[in-house]
């Protein structure tokens, strides 16, 4: 009987210990679950340049153009940058004209192909195979539709800015155009295009490499810009008389 009671007591103790362990495991798992949202909230609080929530590769579309800008394929990226540099040197430094360059290239290509085609019969070799080049219809239509959509969206944005509904957007656009006009007075369109092209091939890949160091600095700069804008808003923008709400509602109804 005593042995039976001892076994019964041991089984009760084992059950109690298992319940205690199960309770500890559940409490620890609940604590870890409680910690997870705090970690995610901490991650959500991390400042990213331009407020992005996706990787830099996805921001650029995630396709071949993103691979070129971020130097995923170094040969293609270096080739594109090299071609742009050669074009800029020809037209800007050597002062070549576009029509002259196109005519000279066509003269050289046609002369070489003509001589090769006629000399092939004398040297008993096959003439050059000149491919038939045709512009496909679908990509041209898709590009035209995309360009039309972007132009119409730009006109809509300009109309919204000119309507006087958003003073902040109006001032930012005016400041951007003013800076662009100053840059345009320093260099011509080709040089400006080349500078933008080089920046697109250098800044994104550098930012992707050093984003953990760049983001804190941009966060500080962004907070400072917000402070200065708040001061400017309090001293200048808030004193500008605004239109009554009734007029704005009438315009919205007309739209």
């Amino acid at each position: 009987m005593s042995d039976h009671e001892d076994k019964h007591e041991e089984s009760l103790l084992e059950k109690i210990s298992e319940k205690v362990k199960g309770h500890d495991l559940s409490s620890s798992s609940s604590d870890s679950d409680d910690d997870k949202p705090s970690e995610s909230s901490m991650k959500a609080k991390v400042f990213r340049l331009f407020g992005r929530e996706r990787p830099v590769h996805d921001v650029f579309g995630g396709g071949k153009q993103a691979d070129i800008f971020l130097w995923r394929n170094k040969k293609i990226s270096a080739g594109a940058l090299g071609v742009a540099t050669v074009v800029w040197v020809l037209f800007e430094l050597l002062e070549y004209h576009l029509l002259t360059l196109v005519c000279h290239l066509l003269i050289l290509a046609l002369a070489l192909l003509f001589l090769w085609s006629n000399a092939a019969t004398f040297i008993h070799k096959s003439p050059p195979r000149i491919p038939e080049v045709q512009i496909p219809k679908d990509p041209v239509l898709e590009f035209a539709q995309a360009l039309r959509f972007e132009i119409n969206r730009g006109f809509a944005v300009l109309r919204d800015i000119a309507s006087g509904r958003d003073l902040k957007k109006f001032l930012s656009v005016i400041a951007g155009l003013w800076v662009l006009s100053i840059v345009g007075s320093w260099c011509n369109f080709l040089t400006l295009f080349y500078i933008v092209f080089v920046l697109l091939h250098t800044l994104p890949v550098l930012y992707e490499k050093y984003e953990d160091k760049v983001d804190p600095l941009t966060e500080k700069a962004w907070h400072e810009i917000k402070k200065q804008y708040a001061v400017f808003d309090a001293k200048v923008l808030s004193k500008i008389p605004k239109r009554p709400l009734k007029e704005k509602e009438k315009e919205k109804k007309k739209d």
Side-chain angles (χ1 to χ4, degrees), residues 19-155:
K19 287 183 179 180
V20 171
K21 288 180 181 178
H23 178 70
D24 292 338
L25 290 172
S26 61
S27 62
S28 63
S29 63
S30 62
D31 292 338
S32 63
D33 293 336
D34 294 337
D35 292 338
K36 285 180 182 178
S38 63
E39 291 176 0
S40 62
S41 63
M42 288 295 290
K43 289 181 181 178
K45 291 179 181 178
V46 175
F47 180 86
R48 294 298 181 190
L49 192 62
F50 304 120
R52 65 178 182 85
E53 297 179 354
R54 298 178 296 168
V56 181
H57 191 268
D58 293 340
V59 172
F60 280 94
K64 292 182 179 180
Q65 67 273 10
D67 294 337
I68 293 173
F69 289 138
L70 297 175
W71 291 75
R72 295 288 193 271
N73 192 332
K74 294 183 179 180
K75 291 183 179 179
I76 297 177
S77 300
L81 191 58
V83 169
T85 303
V86 170
V87 171
W88 180 75
V89 170
L90 285 173
F91 291 114
E92 188 63 24
L93 297 183
L94 301 180
E95 296 182 354
Y96 233 95
H97 297 286
L98 178 62
L99 183 60
T100 305
L101 178 63
V102 171
C103 290
H104 286 178
L105 290 176
L106 287 174
I107 290 170
L108 180 62
L110 290 174
L112 289 175
L113 291 173
F114 181 81
L115 292 174
W116 188 3
S117 299
N118 286 279
T121 57
F122 296 101
I123 60 177
H124 303 288
K125 288 188 176 182
S126 59
R129 295 180 181 178
I130 303 173
E132 294 183 2
V133 179
Q134 292 182 353
I135 299 175
K137 180 180 178 181
D138 293 336
V140 174
L141 293 177
E142 290 177 0
F143 175 77
Q145 289 178 356
L147 183 62
R148 172 180 169 275
F149 175 77
E150 294 297 332
I151 292 173
N152 289 335
R153 189 171 66 172
F155 284 150

Side-chain angles (χ1 to χ4, degrees), residues 146-239:
L147 183 62
R148 172 180 169 275
F149 175 77
E150 294 297 332
I151 292 173
N152 289 335
R153 189 171 66 172
F155 284 150
V157 171
L158 292 176
R159 181 176 179 275
D160 184 62
I161 293 169
S163 64
R165 297 173 184 173
D166 194 344
L167 182 60
K168 182 179 178 181
K169 187 186 291 185
F170 170 76
L171 293 176
S172 61
V173 170
I174 293 298
L177 291 174
W178 180 66
V179 171
L180 189 61
S181 66
I182 293 175
V183 174
S185 64
W186 293 342
C187 57
N188 56 19
F189 179 76
L190 180 61
T191 302
L192 181 61
F193 179 81
Y194 177 69
I195 291 171
V196 172
F197 191 83
V198 172
L199 291 177
L200 285 174
H201 280 76
T202 53
L203 292 182
V205 66
L206 291 174
Y207 171 70
E208 188 182 36
K209 188 176 181 180
Y210 301 104
E211 61 179 340
D212 294 334
K213 296 180 181 179
V214 174
D215 287 338
L217 296 176
T218 53
E219 184 179 10
K220 293 179 182 178
W222 181 244
H223 287 318
E224 187 63 27
I225 291 172
K226 282 186 175 180
K227 288 180 183 179
Q228 297 299 327
Y229 178 78
V231 173
F232 180 72
D233 188 15
K235 292 183 178 180
V236 180
L237 299 181
S238 61
K239 296 180 181 180

